[in-house]
Amino acid sequence: MARLDVTETFHDITFPGHLHTEESLHYASHFKFQDTDTLIVTYPKSGTTWMQEIVTLVSSSGDPERAQTQPNWARAPWLEQYYCPDVLKASQGRRILTTHLPYQLLAPALTGSKAKVIYVARNPKDVAVSYYHFHKMARFLPEAGTFSEFLSAFLKGTVHYGSWFDHVKGWTSNARNIHHFLYITYEEMSLDLRASVERVSGFLQCPLVEEELTSTMKSCSFNSMSENSMVNYTLVPQEIIDHTKGKFMRKGKIGDWVNTFSEEQRCIFDAVYTSRMADSSLKFVWCVPEQEPPLKSRRDTDPHQTHHILERTFA
Ligand code: A3P
């Protein structure tokens, strides 16, 4: 499957044709969930691979064997990517699934299901920067152009996988319709990995003893994952990901957007954010002020520095 220049459009959202077909998207939107499934949901570049690693390790009681011998797409396949049915046919035990699809496309399939859903969100400014760099490497994504051009498409929601705003609002505002739902942010994972792993293990009802928790944290640290070819995407051939243009495990930092955004871009972003999130009660902790590099003409207040955790579990 090459289709590197193909764009697949499904319900007005575009997807890279290299990994998605009309059939694969239809399969995902009609997926038959099992109550024992765990579904990781993210907008791209929000910490998907990181959560796949955490869930894999938590489910294996901290044993790194599976995480170090099986690529992430084989142990936690994306529902909407064309190879998913084959991977699931070959897999045994409880399934870990991944998706970037917006809520409305999976809502019918999830109705009545007791699958456990983990939603990972990340500061959209860091998402935009990470996504921009990934466009430069991934030959199955369109040309990113300049950062300004990319940011404009990101804010409009015309990039692949659609609008960040619609994605995060769609999933979080419908959390009440999902039987078991855990909301967690990349920032929480970065600031307190131990507490984040404990939240995931509690949610999945996979308790870890201290040794297992330590082993999990070690294997899912940025440094370990950067070295692990099962998650750092170095297994993907050069003609699909150009490894000379950058690394998938790029920086792994929070608040690093300040090193890319101009003051003007930040103002535009904040205005769009305020308007697009006006109908959302979700508040985020995006960064810790002391850890954030100074921005030349930084405003005194940041509207996004409040914290909100959403978690629903109905036994
Ligand atoms: P950066 O490009 O900012 O470095 P996704 O898996 O959703 O595509 O997200 C990729 C982003 O998550 C990249 O961000 C990558 O470095 C970061 N990431 C992956 N594993 C991580 C880890 N263990 N710790 C911190 N960041 C991680």
Side-chain angles (χ1 to χ4, degrees), residues 240-279:
I240 295 169
I241 291 188
D242 185 345
H243 300 286
T244 66
K245 297 272 170 64
K247 288 186 171 163
F248 177 85
M249 297 290 297
R250 193 181 59 93
K251 284 193 172 181
K253 295 228 174 342
I254 59 175
D256 189 61
W257 60 268
V258 290
N259 294 314
T260 302
F261 275 60
S262 67
E263 181 58 7
E264 189 191 0
Q265 287 163 346
R266 173 197 156 109
C267 288
I268 294 169
F269 196 105
D270 286 349
V272 174
Y273 185 97
T274 304
S275 133
R276 292 296 319 273
M277 297 303 277
D279 56 350

Side-chain angles (χ1 to χ4, degrees), residues 42-50 100 122 126 130 186 220-222 225 248-253:
T42 59
Y43 186 84
K45 313 317 287 178
S46 301
T48 325
T49 318
W50 197 1
H100 288 321
R122 185 183 188 187
D126 285 328
S130 179
Y186 180 100
C220 65
S221 69
F222 184 80
M225 286 181 60
F248 177 85
M249 297 290 297
R250 193 181 59 93
K251 284 193 172 181
K253 295 228 174 342

Side-chain angles (χ1 to χ4, degrees), residues 174-220:
N174 284 291
R176 74 184 77 85
N177 301 326
I178 298 171
H179 223 82
H180 300 288
F181 186 80
L182 174 73
Y183 171 82
I184 191 164
T185 62
Y186 180 100
E187 287 70 25
E188 289 173 74
M189 287 151 64
S190 182
L191 293 170
D192 195 342
L193 183 57
R194 168 179 282 263
S196 302
V197 170
E198 282 175 337
R199 284 190 71 204
V200 172
S201 84
F203 179 69
L204 298 179
Q205 295 175 308
C206 294
L208 301 177
V209 298
E210 182 58 30
E211 211 175 274
E212 295 164 347
L213 182 62
T214 311
S215 166
T216 298
M217 285 167 57
K218 189 171 165 229
S219 298
C220 65

